[in-house]
Amino acid sequence: VSKANVVLWKKKKTVFKYVTFSELVQFRGASFLNGLNLDKTNIENEMNFYNVNGLEAVQSKNETSQETYRIIKHSCESNNSRIDANKYHALELEKKKESIKFIDNELDWIIFQGNYLASRFGTNYIYPLIGILIVGFLTLIVLHHARLPELYNPIDLINGKVFWSGIDKAFEYMYILNKDKHFEDY
């Protein structure tokens, strides 16, 4: 295919089978709502996927292969588009996660599941923040569970001093460079 205008239909999966792209190919602003397949293509020059839409949609994810996401990721990296490359890297990892079976490789399956649960392959920052909060509160409980009755009296419970003191300590334990003596000793 040389200097061809390819019409991309929104209603069907787009498949390029046994096609050689010998010159620059631009899919700028294209929509692939039902998937894309570049598995059996020969790419001799650059491809541009700037502002491509729909490849992260559920229907498109089901119809797009890991290899296609890898090709798009590589294209974005060669165009110095790190944000888009990371997006397609996450989609590539999701497809890889689907193909890994626990029976075949237990360690890879556990790592992929853990990475997906922890941050959706680096695309969701809320999950790591929740994890940090949980670690901070668990550290507070582990370090101070035996001392709680002796530290606080019933009056402190009523006026909320215990609650705010606990929140304050939990946030201290979330800080990775915390130099609290009790924390270091433990």
Side-chain angles (χ1 to χ4, degrees):
V1 175
S2 175
K3 293 183 183 178
N5 293 324
V6 180
V7 178
L8 303 175
W9 302 100
K10 292 184 178 182
K11 302 212 185 264
K12 293 184 179 179
K13 176 180 176 181
T14 305
V15 178
F16 293 100
K17 195 171 188 178
Y18 306 117
V19 174
T20 298
F21 295 111
S22 59
E23 295 184 20
L24 174 67
V25 178
Q26 298 213 30
F27 291 104
R28 295 179 73 122
S31 293
F32 299 103
L33 301 177
N34 290 306
L36 173 65
N37 188 333
L38 297 173
D39 289 3
K40 296 183 180 177
T41 59
N42 295 316
I43 302 165
E44 294 178 359
N45 208 330
E46 290 185 43
M47 297 181 93
N48 189 337
F49 289 93
Y50 179 73
N51 205 20
V52 169
N53 301 310
L55 285 172
E56 63 280 344
V58 174
Q59 175 65 26
S60 188
K61 279 196 234 181
N62 292 337
E63 297 295 327
T64 303
S65 68
Q66 177 187 345
E67 178 66 12
T68 298
Y69 285 130
R70 190 196 63 75
I71 290 169
I72 297 171
K73 176 193 73 171
H74 178 70
S75 170
C76 292
E77 286 173 346
S78 67
N79 291 328
N80 292 323
S81 178
R82 286 282 183 218
I83 294 172
D84 287 338
N86 289 339
K87 178 175 99 173
Y88 291 109
H89 181 67
L91 291 168
E92 178 188 3
L93 289 174
E94 277 187 49
K95 294 304 278 190
K96 178 70 175 173
K97 181 178 87 70
E98 291 173 8
S99 67
I100 295 176
K101 304 294 179 220
F102 182 77
I103 296 169
D104 298 334
N105 193 338
E106 299 89 5
L107 186 59
D108 280 353
W109 185 87
I110 290 169
I111 290 170
F112 268 83
Q113 295 298 330
N115 194 336
Y116 181 75
L117 292 173
S119 67
R120 298 292 190 258
F121 296 119
T123 60
N124 190 325
Y125 65 91
I126 297 296
Y127 292 123
L129 287 177
I130 291 170
I132 291 169
L133 288 170
I134 290 170
V135 167
F137 282 108
L138 287 176
T139 304
L140 172 71
I141 291 167
V142 168
L143 292 180
H144 297 287
H145 77 283
R147 297 180 55 211
L148 283 178
E150 69 187 54
L151 292 176
Y152 303 109
N153 60 43
I155 302 295
D156 290 338
L157 288 173
I158 292 170
N159 67 18
K161 183 178 177 185
V162 172
F163 175 76
W164 292 112
S165 174
I167 295 289
D168 184 48
K169 272 296 190 194
F171 276 100
E172 284 181 29
Y173 295 139
M174 288 178 213
Y175 180 54
I176 196 165
L177 298 176
N178 184 357
K179 298 295 182 190
D180 182 63
K181 181 75 173 139
H182 186 69
F183 183 66
E184 286 180 352
D185 290 345
Y186 191 80

